[in-house]
Amino acid sequence: MMRTHYCGSLNESLIDQTVTLCGWVHRRRDHGGVVFLDMRDRDGLVQVVVDPDTPDAFALADKARSEYVLKITGRVRQRYAGTENPNMPSGMIEVLGKEIEVLNTSETPPFPLNDEFANVGEEIRLKYRFLDMRRPEMLQRMRFRSQVTSKIRNYLDRHGFLDVETPVLTRATPEGARDYLVPSRTQQGSFFALPQSPQLFKQLLMVSGFDRYYQIAKCFRDEDLRADRQPEFTQIDIETSFMSDEDIMNIAEGMAVELFDELLGIKFDKFPRMTYAEAMRRFASDKPDLRVPLELVDVKDLMQDVEFKVFAGPAKDPKGRIAAIRVPQAAEKLTRSQIDDYTKFVGIYGAKGLAYIKVNDLSQGVAGLQSPIVKFIEPIVLELLKRVGAENGDIVFFGADKAKVVNDAMGALRVKIGHDLNMLTCEWAPLWVVDFPMFEEVGEGQWTSVHHPFTMPHGTVEDLKNNPAEATSVAYDMVLNGTEIGGGSLRIYNPDMQKAVFEALGIGEEEAQEKFSFLLDALKFGAPPHGGLAFGLDRLVMLMTGATSIRDVIAFPKTKTAECLMTQAPAPVEGKQLRELGIRLREKVGE
């Protein structure tokens, strides 16, 4: 081995010992004829001092520059009083360098990898990702990610789960996003699809009797990207047999509790359970951030006879919603310009405006209110304020529109105000959201799956057929601080129920056989009751490390346009390869 120790592992217990380090020059300083090198490797930094008493080593240290790769042998010693650095694990000691070997030189990096890094744009970071990942911050995140996956494997192994790999080349399945397609050379005109998840295969493993399966699996979705989305992402995939939904949630919850306790020192209590219906009613979100104490209150019934068209239309629309958010003591905290900014903010979600009432003095009745809408709802305004629990000094905001628009806009506004006014009541707020709708209407009498078409509904086959609009599923999402980090369900294991779900989705028998014959056949041969869930590893690590994007916790991520700037992928391929695949490209429109 070239080294005896990692830089970041040196401490006072090694004083007077001779060590050999290999790493990169993080920073070089020349102080009064003595050269100081901050040496860096994956474990951290250590200060190396080289003085003229060792002329060969000194000459090499004097020529060394940032990102040179050096091998240094020297003696560990206590730092002089007043020069200690309590911010570094090795900050109480330094290495007196005796021998230096330059293993490789380096050109000047395109951006600094030390404290001057702050203003470097993401595009150049991703182009030179191999350099970006040398930064201590990125090294630490990737090390943390490795610790997370290691603890997950250990936890699931202890609980009797088997790690089984499933295929990456499979067939296209309807899971809500576009598939990445891979043309077949041997079966020209046919395509593999990269898996959006191992869903069907893990269900087949349960039919095969594996009982408890897990996999840390790569998944692929060709969809529009955001800060927490990537075209390829990593899933902690779990499936079990002979377990209830409560059993599965307890297994998953135990894993999350152990992760946060052992890696962050954070102890969670029992996760609360909340139905989807309650989450939407109180927080206008199926992944509510419970750190924010604000809640929505429905006031649609009070607006039935109001002539003000902003409220009258949604009040009479069966698919409309009118909801209010009371923000305690916000009248003095929020300026008119801030309220205007919130109006623009809800516009992002399709809201046409943002009505509000400032409550100055309730003892004066209507005269104690300040708002352009009071005159339009004067007969009911005091009853409305009583319902939302308004007090002097409060501001009450209103959303009125189709339910989806109100939920999207007011749910986001609730969280934004909570953060803007520093209203968070705790640092971490986990919960389970359960009993999701089975279907979402995409047209008159047309439905799509909220999760996927293999999700078990509550009730009987007849219940599902008679009232698909009201059907709920045995599904559960784990939510943390307003982010869904995992979700799953019990699966359909009865062919009759699976057929009924396909019928509700408009999937005929012929189409079902064409797309899912292998699963449907498997259900006929003693399929056990089974269910599972999957965690988004990237999102989980993002939350645990405090990163703002999953790109900061993935070694080689793509951009928001699904490009790899480092390798310049995707890229054209030679005509010969296309001919072997039986593919001819059409000219782009306009060429």
Side-chain angles (χ1 to χ4, degrees), residues 55-70:
D56 291 344
F58 184 81
L60 290 171
D62 194 43
K63 292 178 182 177
R65 295 294 180 264
S66 291
E67 302 311 308
Y68 274 33
V69 188
L70 304 184

Side-chain angles (χ1 to χ4, degrees), residues 411-586:
L413 179 66
R414 169 188 168 270
V415 174
K416 181 166 178 56
I417 291 174
H419 283 269
D420 288 350
L421 299 185
N422 298 314
M423 300 179 72
L424 273 59
T425 58
C426 56
E427 186 179 3
W428 300 97
L431 79 152
W432 286 102
V433 177
V434 300
D435 297 345
F436 282 78
M438 268 294 288
F439 307 115
E440 182 178 10
E441 196 168 14
V442 290
E444 195 65 40
Q446 294 180 307
W447 306 96
T448 185
S449 297
V450 168
H451 283 88
H452 53 67
F454 318 109
T455 304
M456 174 74 81
H458 287 287
T460 65
V461 171
E462 287 68 31
D463 294 334
L464 184 79
K465 288 180 174 179
N466 294 336
N467 197 356
E470 298 299 320
T472 59
S473 59
V474 191
Y476 33 81
D477 279 3
M478 184 186 286
V479 177
L480 181 62
N481 293 0
T483 298
E484 177 217 325
I485 58 172
S489 66
L490 294 188
R491 322 301 188 191
I492 297 168
Y493 63 97
N494 179 292
D496 291 338
M497 180 64 83
Q498 187 64 76
K499 183 179 177 183
V501 169
F502 281 156
E503 287 176 357
L505 294 170
I507 298 175
E509 203 163 320
E510 188 175 328
E511 182 183 357
Q513 280 296 324
E514 181 192 344
K515 291 181 176 178
F516 310 113
S517 59
F518 53 96
L519 177 65
L520 298 177
D521 287 345
L523 295 182
K524 300 173 186 175
F525 291 94
H530 60 283
L533 79 167
F535 284 92
L537 176 64
D538 311 301
R539 285 190 197 177
L540 179 62
V541 176
M542 179 184 77
L543 283 173
M544 295 181 78
T545 59
T548 55
S549 164
I550 61 172
R551 290 190 294 278
D552 286 333
V553 297
I554 297 173
F556 299 104
K558 306 289 190 293
T559 66
K560 289 183 180 178
T561 53
E563 296 173 273
C564 175
L565 298 179
M566 187 180 65
T567 62
Q568 298 184 358
V573 297
E574 293 181 0
K576 180 186 175 188
Q577 282 182 277
L578 294 177
R579 286 192 295 273
E580 286 178 344
L581 295 167
I583 292 176
R584 184 170 62 192
L585 298 180
R586 296 173 61 182

Side-chain angles (χ1 to χ4, degrees), residues 355-424:
Y356 70 93
I357 297 174
K358 277 190 179 182
V359 183
N360 294 327
D361 187 354
L362 280 171
S363 68
Q364 296 182 27
V366 175
L369 307 178
Q370 183 181 342
S371 167
I373 68 165
V374 167
K375 60 186 176 185
F376 299 112
I377 58 170
E378 190 169 330
I380 57 98
V381 69
L382 293 179
E383 185 181 355
L384 185 153
L385 293 175
K386 181 179 179 182
R387 176 175 293 184
V388 301
E391 298 177 359
N392 293 341
D394 294 351
I395 292 182
V396 181
F397 291 102
F398 298 89
D401 210 310
K402 295 288 186 184
K404 185 179 188 316
V405 173
V406 171
N407 290 336
D408 290 348
M410 298 300 279
L413 179 66
R414 169 188 168 270
V415 174
K416 181 166 178 56
I417 291 174
H419 283 269
D420 288 350
L421 299 185
N422 298 314
M423 300 179 72
L424 273 59

Side-chain angles (χ1 to χ4, degrees), residues 224-244:
D224 297 330
L225 306 178
R226 302 194 296 268
D228 61 346
R229 294 281 173 92
Q230 280 280 291
E232 54 178 313
F233 57 97
T234 306
Q235 200 162 278
I236 306 157
D237 206 49
I238 297 170
E239 196 78 3
T240 70
S241 296
F242 308 112
M243 276 192 172
S244 68

Side-chain angles (χ1 to χ4, degrees), residues 34 38 47-48 85 88 98 171 179 183 221 228 325 336 357 369 397 411 435 452 469 471 474 478 520 557 564 578:
V34 177
D38 286 345
Q47 177 174 284
V48 176
N85 185 350
M88 289 169 54
K98 297 295 185 182
R171 67 169 293 148
D179 288 310
R221 290 180 187 172
D228 61 346
I325 298 176
R336 180 57 196 265
I357 297 174
L369 307 178
F397 291 102
D435 297 345
H452 53 67
V474 191
M478 184 186 286
L520 298 177
C564 175
L578 294 177

